[in-house]
Amino acid sequence: MAIERLHVFPGGPRRKPSRGFTLVEVAMATAALGLLAAIAVPSYSRVLERQKINQCAMDLRNLALRIDHYRTQHGSPPNSLADLGPPLPKDPWGQDYQFLSFDAAKPGNIRKDHNLHPLNSEFDLYSVGKDGRSVPPLTAKPSRDDVIWARDGGFVGLAADY
């Protein structure tokens, strides 16, 4: 029969290495993942929103080209976007693009900048943006997220940036 020897070390008995994580280690890893998610999710949301705005600006440019083609054929802009014929795209938020021909518009419905000058010379073309609401002055809160076609195509982007 063999006798087992007991090894005694100066710091006390030797412990076997554990195979799991301690509660503190799990809590630290969870906190680190939570911190990364708190930083990454809003950044990703901003990237997605910027992509929607860029897609909307591209759609507005394409619609403006179709309006210009219509004007070339008929001598004046259309009365509505429906006059352009299908397909008419929806904005990235699922709303119809807005169009207002100045020939048929009431003066109070024409969108204006902060100096109260009309945005365009013949028509307004814009998306109501993420909130789905808009009013004629761009300085109003419901209009700040609108994507607009202004200066007769010299500016296409967020109303807040105009």
Side-chain angles (χ1 to χ4, degrees), residues 49-50 53-54 57 61 93 111 113-114 119 138-141 143-151 154-162:
E49 194 63 25
R50 179 50 62 187
I53 291 166
N54 290 340
R61 286 184 186 102
W93 300 278
R111 296 168 63 89
D113 62 13
H114 62 280
L119 298 181
L138 293 182
T139 54
K141 187 174 181 180
S143 297
R144 302 298 290 160
D145 71 334
D146 293 1
V147 182
I148 61 171
W149 188 81
R151 291 189 213 130
F155 175 85
V156 182
L158 273 178
D161 297 338
Y162 184 69

Side-chain angles (χ1 to χ4, degrees), residues 104-158:
K106 296 177 184 174
N109 293 342
I110 296 173
R111 296 168 63 89
K112 297 178 176 150
D113 62 13
H114 62 280
N115 292 325
L116 301 178
H117 295 115
L119 298 181
N120 298 296
S121 59
E122 294 184 285
F123 59 87
D124 280 338
L125 180 63
Y126 60 98
S127 163
V128 292
K130 184 178 181 177
D131 68 359
R133 299 180 315 136
S134 186
V135 294
L138 293 182
T139 54
K141 187 174 181 180
S143 297
R144 302 298 290 160
D145 71 334
D146 293 1
V147 182
I148 61 171
W149 188 81
R151 291 189 213 130
D152 294 321
F155 175 85
V156 182
L158 273 178

